[in-house]
Amino acid sequence: MYIYYMTVNTEEVKFQMFMAHIPCSDISYVEQQLKQQCNGKYIIAPEQDPYDHLHFLAEMTDTSYHTFAKRVFKDKYKLRGQARNGKARQYGKTKKLRDIEKALIYTLKCYNTSKDMIKTNMDKSSLEAYAQQSFKKKEELKAHDVYIEKLKSLPPPDGKDVRHLVYLWMELCPKTRPPVIKSLIWYAYQAKYITQDQFINNYYPQIHNFPPPLFSFPTPYSDHDDEPFNTIENYLECE
């Protein structure tokens, strides 16, 4: 009886993370519509770069989300939920959230420039810590650009192992933690610091029995998780 009730007669209320290309000036209207379907806490965060859109993190059932999406995204704003005819989708939702705190950090990535416009039923003071973590993530992304630009002016690293890239990061970007080693290899290739063969042979080391001298030793950085929600592809896994 308990299993029947949980799986058929009720729906799970869970955090849903989604976004939509809606003018930031309409955020108050959108909040009123969301309140009608939300079953708990919610945050709506505006972002204006490179275009107006809203980020959502809200406790809802799947049915509540789809009702809200139809009423607001489809009927009101006529948004596309899938890419068609060369045009990108205009709204989307993650299929599954693996880490609510990381989702919150991502949602608040524009907190410093839009905190007065954010709509939420949570205590805003409690969001400050998450917003600061999001700010640090932006600083890391800037560091990536610095790293790539400086690598372009350096001679090839022939004969040096993978730790060389970590040491270089610590020297060139001392205020930020080195990213995962695969990211460092990718940045090195983008900067043409390493050749295409070196990139292939070391980015996919599990398929090579004898990797070349460059990047031949494992490092503790290879165990780090990739940055959360650092690409729009991870975020827009539409159902």
Side-chain angles (χ1 to χ4, degrees):
M1 183 67 176
Y2 177 78
I3 295 177
Y4 177 84
Y5 174 80
M6 289 297 294
T7 59
V8 177
N9 291 336
T10 65
E11 281 191 88
E12 178 186 6
V13 175
K14 57 188 177 183
F15 273 104
Q16 310 270 11
M17 185 179 184
F18 47 103
M19 64 80 69
H21 294 191
I22 293 176
C24 295
S25 57
D26 289 0
I27 194 170
S28 294
Y29 164 78
V30 174
E31 181 188 25
Q32 292 305 314
Q33 296 300 313
L34 182 65
K35 284 180 177 179
Q36 297 178 28
Q37 301 298 329
C38 185
N39 304 103
K41 298 176 181 178
Y42 69 84
I43 298 174
I44 310 174
E47 184 174 0
Q48 296 174 303
D49 184 21
Y51 45 77
D52 274 20
H53 57 289
L54 302 177
H55 295 277
F56 300 79
L57 187 63
E59 289 183 300
M60 310 172 73
T61 64
D62 288 336
T63 298
S64 294
Y65 165 77
H66 289 299
T67 299
F68 173 77
K70 182 181 186 305
R71 181 178 298 170
V72 178
F73 300 160
K74 297 179 181 179
D75 296 345
K76 171 69 175 177
Y77 291 97
K78 313 298 182 185
L79 302 181
R80 292 184 302 275
Q82 297 292 334
R84 292 192 180 92
N85 300 321
K87 296 181 179 180
R89 63 170 63 95
Q90 296 173 308
Y91 74 91
K93 181 174 76 72
T94 56
K95 292 182 179 180
K96 183 178 181 180
L97 289 183
R98 296 184 295 271
D99 191 315
I100 301 302
E101 288 192 353
K102 290 180 180 178
L104 185 56
I105 291 169
Y106 182 88
T107 302
L108 295 171
K109 62 192 178 80
C110 292
Y111 184 85
N112 288 342
T113 58
S114 63
K115 60 183 176 182
D116 293 335
M117 295 177 64
I118 288 175
K119 300 295 184 181
T120 182
N121 59 359
M122 298 174 63
D123 179 9
K124 281 195 174 182
S125 63
S126 67
L127 302 180
E128 287 285 349
Y130 295 103
Q132 288 306 311
Q133 291 184 60
S134 185
F135 177 74
K136 289 179 181 179
K137 176 57 60 181
K138 281 192 171 183
E139 290 300 307
E140 286 188 19
L141 291 176
K142 292 179 183 178
H144 297 169
D145 294 333
V146 171
Y147 186 71
I148 291 172
E149 285 304 311
K150 290 187 176 180
L151 283 184
K152 290 179 180 179
S153 63
L154 297 179
D158 295 335
K160 296 178 181 177
D161 63 56
V162 71
R163 290 171 294 186
H164 173 66
L165 290 182
V166 179
Y167 294 145
L168 274 178
W169 179 281
M170 296 172 70
E171 177 184 342
L172 301 176
C173 309
K175 294 184 178 180
T176 55
R177 177 181 69 91
V180 294
I181 195 61
K182 282 192 174 183
S183 293
L184 290 175
I185 296 172
W186 170 241
Y187 301 149
Y189 176 65
Q190 284 185 302
K192 297 183 179 179
Y193 182 64
I194 61 175
T195 67
Q196 185 179 65
D197 285 343
Q198 288 172 327
F199 169 75
I200 293 173
N201 290 343
N202 292 280
Y203 195 81
Y204 306 100
Q206 66 274 15
I207 63 173
H208 297 278
N209 293 324
F210 303 101
L214 181 63
F215 313 144
S216 59
F217 300 106
T219 76
Y221 295 98
S222 61
D223 293 328
H224 287 303
D225 289 331
D226 284 316
E227 295 85 354
F229 297 105
N230 60 346
T231 64
I232 197 66
E233 288 79 11
N234 287 341
Y235 180 45
L236 291 179
E237 279 188 85
C238 286
E239 292 186 327

